[in-house]
Amino acid sequence: QCSETEVYIYNRWGQLYFKDDVSYFRWDGNDDKGVEAPEGVYFFILKTKKLNTGQQEEVHGTITLIR
């Protein structure tokens, strides 16, 4: 289990497009204001902190958005 989870999604130019800090993450392809993201490849970083140990973990990769 995780006590803290943060998700960051960046566009192809390295600009932060979306950020969320909830324990259950689901991206609908929109930015924080509800504007649809264009099709393309996005880079994500997922940071978690384990509840019982306090150990932090980071996972990153790409998401391809197809409309």
Side-chain angles (χ1 to χ4, degrees), residues 44-55:
F44 73 88
I45 299 173
L46 174 68
K47 296 180 181 183
T48 60
K49 185 175 181 182
K50 293 188 179 182
L51 181 64
N52 55 352
T53 63
Q55 181 181 10

Side-chain angles (χ1 to χ4, degrees), residues 6-7 14 16 24 29 34 52 57 66:
E6 296 177 340
V7 178
L16 182 63
Y24 178 77
N52 55 352
E57 186 174 324
I66 301 172

Side-chain angles (χ1 to χ4, degrees), residues 2-7 20-23 25 46-49:
C2 301
S3 61
E4 297 177 16
T5 303
E6 296 177 340
V7 178
D20 202 355
D21 59 355
V22 296
S23 59
F25 170 70
L46 174 68
K47 296 180 181 183
T48 60
K49 185 175 181 182

Side-chain angles (χ1 to χ4, degrees), residues 29-51:
N30 297 334
D31 68 8
D32 294 330
K33 297 175 181 112
V35 177
E36 282 189 356
E39 285 189 346
V41 178
Y42 293 82
F43 181 77
F44 73 88
I45 299 173
L46 174 68
K47 296 180 181 183
T48 60
K49 185 175 181 182
K50 293 188 179 182
L51 181 64

Side-chain angles (χ1 to χ4, degrees), residues 6-25:
E6 296 177 340
V7 178
Y8 302 88
I9 297 179
Y10 296 88
N11 65 15
R12 66 189 322 177
W13 297 278
Q15 298 167 321
L16 182 63
Y17 192 81
F18 180 83
K19 178 186 175 213
D20 202 355
D21 59 355
V22 296
S23 59
Y24 178 77
F25 170 70

